Amino acid sequence: MAYRPVHKIPSSEITPKSVYLNRRSLMAGAGAAFAAGMLPGHAWAKLETKPSKYGADLKPTAEEYITSYNNFYEFGTGKADPSENAGSLTTSPWSVKVDGLVAKPGTLALEDIVPKVQEDRTYRHRCVEAWSMVIPWVGFQLSDLLTKVEPLGSAKYVAFETLVRPDEMPGQKGFFQPLDWPYVEGLRLDEAMHPLTILATGLYGEELPNQNGAPLRLVVPWKYGFKSIKSIVRITLTEKEPPTTWNKAASNEYGFYSNVNPNVDHPRWSQATERPIGGGLLSQRQPTLMFNGYEDEVASLYTGMDLKKYF
Amino acid sequence: MSAISKLVDRLNGALKRVPVLPLYFVALVPGLWTFYQALAGQLGADPMRALEQGLGLWALRFMLATLAVTPLMRWPGIRLLRFRRMLGLTVFWYVLAHLTVYIVLDQQFYWLAIARDILKRPYIIFGMTAFVALVPMAITSNDLSVRRLGAMAWRNLHRLAYPAGVLMVLHYLWLVKSWTAGPLAYAALMALLLGLRLVPRGSSGRRRTREKSNARNVSTARA
């Protein structure tokens, strides 16, 4: 039983009024309570946000689906496993180690990374398994953080790493491990600096539920979902292309770039169409868009590249 | 008489009294229940996929049950032969339902995509080939066909169950994104059930059972 009821949280972690706005602690409490079935689903702390120009025309997928249908193998390989098992993850305190080719390396507390007011960014989300959602993220541009730590001229790539904590992540325990831990991902520096690339801390205006990658996750909307690494604990600027988890698991199926591309099939299934989640049993397939519909914004990053070769 | 053989004899006695006919319907209950859940919105965010995979899994489970009949008869001596036709036909019904969901709800009659899948995708090829292998067995799963074909020909035809079983687990293994415990467990069980058939007959345990079953039926596998 992975649920951890609220009373098991040490009293040291219960938020005093003075740090009432320390939303991480609040989040841990609410998340655990939700997992224990004590509170209704909308108990997460509200975030302060401002609207952005992205995604005003998109109709978001229902919140219950976004928070109950997840690939987060640290909590199990089933789609419902993360929502069932992630409630016990401690997300406060949380810090991110920033190292590698930067002028200002260091370990940053989450509070020092996340701006007070974040943006609403509603993005299309396309899974490599050919299903899709529309998710109203709350976040800020990764470029804000990277600029602060001052990448050196030699930095060409950004590597990311997810938490390893088998005590709280049942998928990292046991005899059978589907992937190597930690989960690692990477972007080219120009992709990482692109205004569409965000670090998200929330969805639907509230703190991220643990199963969606709390407290801090990457969102790169023109790439397949597995590139958008969850629960990030380390960001490293590198000169060489960093290893990525799914590429290590099956290099012929998952490339470093993994841009959404209807013309390049997965070796085992077509990527030409996708099934939107939330339409029920009779949900209609729809055509998949080049770069997941963000072609105007990002195509110039790949000018002259053979996208079949660099899939 | 050892305790185990006493138990087996009692079990066989009880099994003899179980009527087969109702089981043809009982075996379909899990599938009908999954279908009901899909309609009632109880299968989560992606009910189509859950239904499709649920039906496929039940097909595989009944396939394993069908292929367990012979080893169970040979070693502990449990006589399930009366139920094998029911089990085998149930596999066919579940595979047919699984394929129907794939064509109607998953691919939505997008025949071009289906044709491309069949030509290009190993796991679809495995699944489709398994279905093709099941069709003649399903058609001939009746006494009339056994008489018409003759016991030998009928038995040879029904050896298609072995490749069909292998193809079904390959279909499952190939479609998941990474090596997960579930499909590997099904594959291991399939390998065990088929591997047991390679054990030479001389080493088989209970002579009494073997003679009885050999004398009476056409289907004790030798492969």
Side-chain angles (χ1 to χ4, degrees):
Chain A
M1 190 68 182
Y3 299 143
R4 193 167 297 179
V6 137
H7 63 261
K8 280 206 183 157
I9 289 178
S11 59
S12 61
E13 271 200 42
I14 292 174
T15 319
K17 205 158 197 169
S18 58
V19 283
Y20 190 69
L21 289 176
N22 181 344
R23 28 179 212 261
R24 287 298 139 198
S25 304
L26 196 67
M27 167 69 198
F34 175 53
M38 291 170 166
L39 288 171
H42 293 265
W44 289 288
K46 282 258 182 253
L47 296 171
E48 211 176 321
T49 66
K50 60 184 181 198
S52 76
K53 59 176 176 171
Y54 299 103
D57 54 327
L58 297 171
K59 189 176 171 294
T61 304
E63 188 176 3
E64 63 164 305
Y65 298 139
I66 296 174
T67 58
S68 67
Y69 192 78
N70 308 96
N71 279 326
F72 197 170
Y73 281 21
E74 282 82 346
F75 294 103
T77 55
K79 292 284 188 288
D81 290 344
S83 60
E84 283 165 14
N85 299 333
S88 58
L89 180 69
T90 309
T91 55
S92 173
W94 193 275
S95 58
V96 179
K97 184 177 174 187
V98 183
D99 60 358
L101 303 172
V102 290
K104 295 180 173 171
T107 300
L108 303 174
L110 188 71
E111 294 75 15
D112 301 329
I113 297 173
V114 181
K116 234 185 159 46
V117 181
Q118 300 179 73
E119 284 183 46
D120 290 309
R121 298 257 185 138
T122 300
Y123 284 158
R124 279 180 284 271
H125 177 87
R126 171 62 156 78
C127 180
V128 74
E129 297 163 350
W131 53 264
S132 67
M133 294 183 180
V134 172
I135 305 180
W137 299 109
V138 174
F140 57 96
Q141 286 181 203
L142 174 60
S143 62
D144 296 348
L145 173 63
L146 293 178
T147 310
K148 257 195 268 180
V149 298
E150 298 176 13
L152 303 178
S154 51
K156 298 279 186 306
Y157 294 91
V158 186
F160 303 86
E161 201 177 295
T162 295
L163 179 71
V164 178
R165 194 182 286 162
D167 285 348
E168 292 186 347
M169 298 177 133
Q172 292 177 337
K173 259 194 303 219
F175 174 68
F176 200 84
Q177 302 287 309
L179 294 171
D180 279 343
W181 314 116
Y183 192 96
V184 290
E185 258 305 336
L187 296 172
R188 229 167 50 190
L189 185 57
D190 58 343
E191 297 174 325
M193 293 296 289
H194 193 279
L196 278 173
T197 305
I198 59 168
L199 289 171
T201 69
L203 57 84
Y204 266 105
E206 293 167 341
E207 297 280 359
L208 276 182
N210 291 351
Q211 62 268 30
N212 292 86
L216 186 75
R217 66 166 294 166
L218 183 70
V219 179
V220 196
W222 71 91
K223 293 176 180 284
Y224 292 119
F226 66 86
K227 293 293 289 182
S228 294
I229 185 170
K230 301 184 180 84
S231 303
I232 297 168
V233 293
R234 187 176 176 193
I235 298 176
T236 309
L237 282 280
T238 66
E239 191 172 2
K240 292 208 173 96
E241 186 182 289
T244 58
T245 289
W246 279 103
N247 181 256
K248 284 194 292 179
S251 58
N252 61 323
E253 301 191 346
Y254 310 99
F256 175 79
Y257 286 92
S258 289
N259 293 315
V260 175
N261 188 339
N263 308 314
V264 178
D265 285 347
H266 186 280
R268 290 181 287 147
W269 55 81
S270 163
Q271 297 290 25
T273 61
E274 64 202 39
R275 288 178 320 105
I277 295 297
L281 194 55
L282 301 174
S283 181
Q284 289 290 307
R285 274 185 184 270
Q286 62 189 35
T288 289
L289 304 171
M290 188 66 202
F291 294 116
N292 204 23
Y294 300 97
E295 190 170 10
D296 290 349
E297 290 94 333
V298 303
S300 60
L301 292 172
Y302 310 103
T303 311
M305 264 176 75
D306 180 353
L307 296 176
K308 281 205 163 70
K309 188 175 169 208
Y310 297 99
F311 60 93
Chain B
M1 226 188 201
S2 76
I4 289 180
S5 42
K6 250 187 222 161
L7 199 71
V8 167
D9 281 350
R10 275 172 68 183
L11 185 63
N12 284 335
L15 284 169
K16 243 186 262 172
R17 288 191 293 275
V18 177
V20 178
L21 192 64
L23 294 181
Y24 279 89
F25 302 97
V26 173
L28 301 179
V29 168
L32 293 170
W33 174 243
T34 312
F35 187 58
Y36 164 78
Q37 283 183 305
L39 287 177
Q42 291 171 8
L43 290 183
D46 196 354
M48 188 289 294
R49 189 66 79 217
L51 175 63
E52 189 178 52
Q53 292 178 349
L55 293 169
L57 262 182
W58 280 108
L60 185 52
R61 288 173 190 144
F62 277 101
M63 191 62 166
L64 290 167
T66 312
L67 290 169
V69 170
T70 296
L72 283 174
M73 185 154 55
R74 209 176 141 187
W75 280 282
I78 300 170
R79 288 196 283 273
L80 294 166
L81 202 62
R82 290 172 60 229
F83 305 103
R84 188 160 66 179
R85 177 180 292 170
M86 178 275 295
L87 291 170
L89 274 170
T90 304
V91 175
F92 179 74
W93 295 128
Y94 275 105
V95 168
L96 190 65
H98 173 70
L99 179 64
T100 305
V101 170
Y102 167 75
I103 291 171
V104 177
L105 297 177
D106 187 347
Q107 296 301 328
Q108 299 166 6
F109 298 110
Y110 185 25
W111 294 108
L112 190 67
I114 295 171
R116 256 192 256 132
D117 270 357
I118 293 173
L119 292 176
K120 271 178 75 174
R121 322 251 171 247
Y123 80 95
I124 299 281
I125 296 170
F126 295 146
M128 288 289 184
T129 314
F131 172 70
V132 169
L134 288 173
V135 171
M137 289 193 284
I139 292 173
T140 57
S141 281
N142 50 69
D143 294 341
L144 182 69
S145 295
V146 180
R147 282 198 297 275
R148 281 259 178 95
L149 287 167
M152 275 302 258
W154 187 91
R155 190 168 63 189
N156 283 335
L157 178 68
H158 281 245
R159 285 196 171 130
L160 280 171
Y162 310 143
V166 171
L167 288 164
M168 282 166 75
V169 288
L170 285 178
H171 173 69
Y172 189 19
L173 277 174
W174 227 273
L175 104 145
V176 289
K177 223 160 51 166
S178 65
W179 295 104
T180 48
L184 283 174
Y186 281 99
L189 196 52
M190 183 67 75
L192 174 73
L193 291 176
L194 295 180
L196 286 174
R197 290 168 158 79
L198 300 174
V199 178
R201 302 229 31 111
S203 67
S204 137
R206 298 186 65 203
R207 198 168 183 83
R208 198 169 63 92
T209 312
R210 192 172 77 239
E211 283 169 358
K212 263 192 188 169
S213 57
N214 277 357
R216 216 164 348 131
N217 70 75
V218 292
S219 43
T220 310
R222 264 169 240 265

